[in-house]
Amino acid sequence: MRSPFRPETLPDPAILDDHRPLIRSLERRRLIRGGLSLGALTMLTGCDVRRPASVQAALLAIRDLNDRVQALLFDPNKLAPTYPASMVMNPPRFNAFYDVMKVKPVDGARWRLELSGLIADKRPWTVEQVNALPQRTEIIKHVCVEGWDYIGQWSGVPFRAFLEHVGADLSARYVGFRCADDYTSSIDMASALHPQTLLATRYGDDVLADPFGYPLRLRMSTKLGYKNPKWITAIEVSNVRPDDMWDKPGYSWFAGL
């Protein structure tokens, strides 16, 4: 007997070529593992898989559902695994949306961290002021959406302590970041307040090198690598989701591990 879930005609699989980053992100969370087929998309969303715009809309809808499920399941107090110093990769692996030779070093003497949004004290910060705050160290795993990972030792200011210090509204929904290379990213407040989330200033025993985010980068144990911006120049706290570079290509916004 013919399955009622099988379409009359199977469209060309090449239709999905432009959507492979979305599919990889969705498959990674296993939300729809084993079920992401053209027939399943038709059954679940009613979209016309012969129309790329329809497929895009369906995949984005599933991605957004996946993000909401991840947010609901996220435990803000659950710690990620930590590792011994003997397992730390030194130097760390470079990752960005461009080649390492295109990194433009930041002048630490002129660098300022700008603050905006739902923050009481918006005065800019210098490198020296950030380094004067209490620091902590985390040896955690960096996981890239491309499938590789490494264990790194990061030191810096607990992000929660920094947000409290500047009078940020901790009940706000989002924290956004802008970087010296024009990278933008945003995270949910629960992840920002996680005990292992750092504004990192050092790797191992050394100040961050230029390719790895000097003078300031975000380091989280709970999200994929592309949600950890480097060379941060501005932080915004808001109830409106700030710009995020990877939204347009269709990557998961929550990007949880």
Side-chain angles (χ1 to χ4, degrees):
M1 179 179 176
R2 181 182 175 279
S3 169
F5 303 113
R6 182 177 176 83
E8 292 291 341
T9 59
L10 291 175
D12 185 353
I15 289 174
L16 292 180
D17 284 348
D18 291 337
H19 313 290
R20 300 224 178 268
L22 284 173
I23 295 172
R24 286 196 297 268
S25 176
L26 292 168
E27 286 182 330
R28 197 193 141 274
R29 297 300 301 176
R30 298 188 179 182
L31 179 65
I32 53 173
R33 184 175 296 278
L36 185 57
S37 66
L38 296 179
L41 282 174
T42 302
M43 180 183 70
L44 293 174
T45 67
C47 75
D48 181 353
V49 294
R50 295 167 296 182
R51 297 172 55 223
S54 183
V55 174
Q56 176 80 355
L59 288 171
L60 290 174
I62 297 174
R63 178 205 63 179
D64 292 344
L65 173 62
N66 185 29
D67 280 344
R68 290 194 294 272
V69 170
Q70 288 187 61
L72 287 171
L73 295 177
F74 180 69
D75 183 345
N77 297 308
K78 183 178 180 180
L79 300 181
T82 57
Y83 303 87
S86 60
M87 297 181 68
V88 171
M89 175 183 284
N90 203 358
R93 179 169 174 171
F94 173 78
N95 64 301
F97 60 97
Y98 47 81
D99 187 80
V100 65
M101 299 303 295
K102 295 183 178 180
V103 171
K104 297 179 180 179
V106 173
D107 182 351
R110 300 177 62 184
W111 174 88
R112 296 294 183 271
L113 176 65
E114 304 292 336
L115 303 179
S116 63
L118 303 175
I119 295 175
D121 185 352
K122 296 185 176 67
R123 287 176 293 181
W125 284 66
T126 65
V127 171
E128 292 75 19
Q129 288 173 316
V130 173
N131 289 334
L133 293 176
Q135 312 273 308
R136 67 175 293 171
T137 298
E138 295 284 350
I139 301 179
I140 52 179
K141 183 176 287 187
H142 176 105
V143 180
C144 181
V145 70
E146 295 175 346
W148 53 266
D149 60 64
Y150 70 87
I151 294 168
Q153 179 177 322
W154 307 91
S155 299
V157 181
F159 197 20
R160 182 184 190 117
F162 179 83
L163 292 173
E164 291 174 341
H165 189 88
V166 298
D169 181 356
L170 303 188
S171 67
R173 299 180 63 187
Y174 305 108
V175 181
F177 304 89
R178 291 190 177 276
C179 304
D181 63 349
D182 296 324
Y183 191 88
T184 59
S185 186
S186 57
I187 61 173
D188 57 295
M189 181 61 78
S191 295
L193 301 179
H194 187 272
Q196 291 172 310
T197 299
L198 299 178
L199 286 176
T201 59
R202 303 177 69 85
Y203 184 85
D205 296 324
D206 301 315
V207 173
L208 284 175
D210 291 325
F212 310 118
Y214 176 83
L216 192 69
R217 68 167 294 165
L218 188 68
R219 193 64 198 95
M220 295 181 288
S221 64
T222 57
K223 293 190 184 293
L224 288 167
Y226 65 87
K227 300 300 290 188
N228 291 258
K230 299 180 285 293
W231 310 290
I232 296 171
T233 58
I235 296 175
E236 176 188 9
V237 175
S238 176
N239 283 316
V240 178
R241 198 163 96 182
D243 289 341
D244 195 298
M245 179 173 177
W246 292 108
D247 269 353
K248 290 182 180 179
Y251 283 78
S252 167
W253 178 79
F254 195 86
L257 291 171

